[in-house]
Amino acid sequence: MSSLEPGPPQGRQHWMDLLRGAAILLVIVHHISIVQQIWDGGTAHEAVLLSEAAKPFRMPALLFASGILLPRSLEKPAGRFLIGKVRSLLWPWLLWSVLMLAIMGWGFGTDPLWWVNGMYTWFLLALFVYYVVGLLTRRVAPGWVALASLAAWTVMQMFGSALIDPSYRPDKFVYYAVFFFAGAALRRIVLVRRMPLWVLAPGLLLALGWAAFAVRIDRDPEVPILSQLVVLVAVLAGVALAQRLPRIRAVRMLEWLGRHSIVLYLVHLPVIELLARHLDLPPSRATTALFVLVTLGVCVLAVLLRPATGFLYTLPAPGRSATMPVPRDHDGGPSAPPAAVADAEAPLCESRPTGGRLPTP
């Protein structure tokens, strides 16, 4: 008998939406905490604790979910694959980096490293690099690429990469590659079967301990090899939990956020920066709650407007409208789209721009 429990029938994987939704919400809380501390000198203590505790896990969870999509993407011809990633990753990386320069000051743009990993858009550039590496190593099992990334990051630590300015550290791309290619390697397991209970309980306990360690040292733990292994087990435990949660209204709301995570990821930080720069409010729980509500409200509005603003997230294909509707299947996921639309798949979510209907209970 298999050690893995039977999973849901093939179709839309709601747990992936839930995992992305939870991760993107944690990213938003983290950036609110950071920006408020920069501009207002402080933020709600609970937000700081949540941000520090979740720091080891939020980006690995997003990258793990993105890596699951790699094998499907590699089924395309190489040329179409690369064009699709340029349109859905490099284009929004460039566009939203320029937008942040307009908010923060054009002087940042004179530093080449700022464009690489000095702004939150580094994530899109990292995804593009991982997809290109995946294309170049398509005949190599992604598990081996994950192990090679693990070894490379360990060697970089030995040569002192941890001493570099954390805003511009070059090892960030190598560290997170482990989770992207682990997602690709474990795709068949997590999509076909539920993760077993013996992963869920110990994994959650390990995650809680690692989160407490992160809070205590006030930074992301960086123990070579151990860091990635602990976080990967924690992410798998998160998958196991997401696969079992009942789809009550709150869960469905998180799933909705996850289906549109590319929009939330790109929109949230400009909103937070503008709020912090133009609102003179004292640090408090109420101020943090206001930032969260306004930011999420603007992000939801951006999702609803996506049929008219699709060019902000994907470069339109020549001769095609950026707002072309995509047919939906009975479960709310995309039905088989035309090839030109499929090439523009969003890196953080499986759904396409359709107007972003709000979920119903």
Side-chain angles (χ1 to χ4, degrees), residues 57 179 203 206-207 209-210 225-235:
F57 313 113
F179 306 103
L206 187 62
W210 203 249
I225 301 179
L226 183 62
S227 291
Q228 288 102 327
L229 293 181
V230 169
V231 173
L232 181 58
V233 170
V235 170

Side-chain angles (χ1 to χ4, degrees), residues 82-94:
L82 287 173
I83 291 174
K85 299 313 172 191
V86 167
R87 292 172 51 217
S88 63
L89 292 172
L90 287 190
W91 166 253
W93 163 75
L94 177 62

Side-chain angles (χ1 to χ4, degrees), residues 2-8 13-16 18-19 189-190 192-204 235-248 251 255:
S2 172
S3 62
L4 298 179
E5 303 172 24
Q13 299 289 338
H14 296 283
W15 66 262
M16 289 181 62
L18 179 57
L19 186 67
I189 294 176
V190 297
V192 176
R193 300 279 185 173
R194 282 199 179 111
M195 297 301 297
L197 287 173
W198 58 261
V199 170
L200 175 59
L204 290 179
V235 170
L236 291 175
V239 170
L241 179 62
Q243 289 173 335
R244 289 172 170 81
L245 284 179
R247 298 187 65 219
I248 60 177
V251 170
E255 290 174 3

Side-chain angles (χ1 to χ4, degrees), residues 101-114:
L101 279 180
I103 295 173
M104 298 181 64
W106 297 103
F108 287 98
T110 61
D111 184 353
L113 287 177
W114 186 90

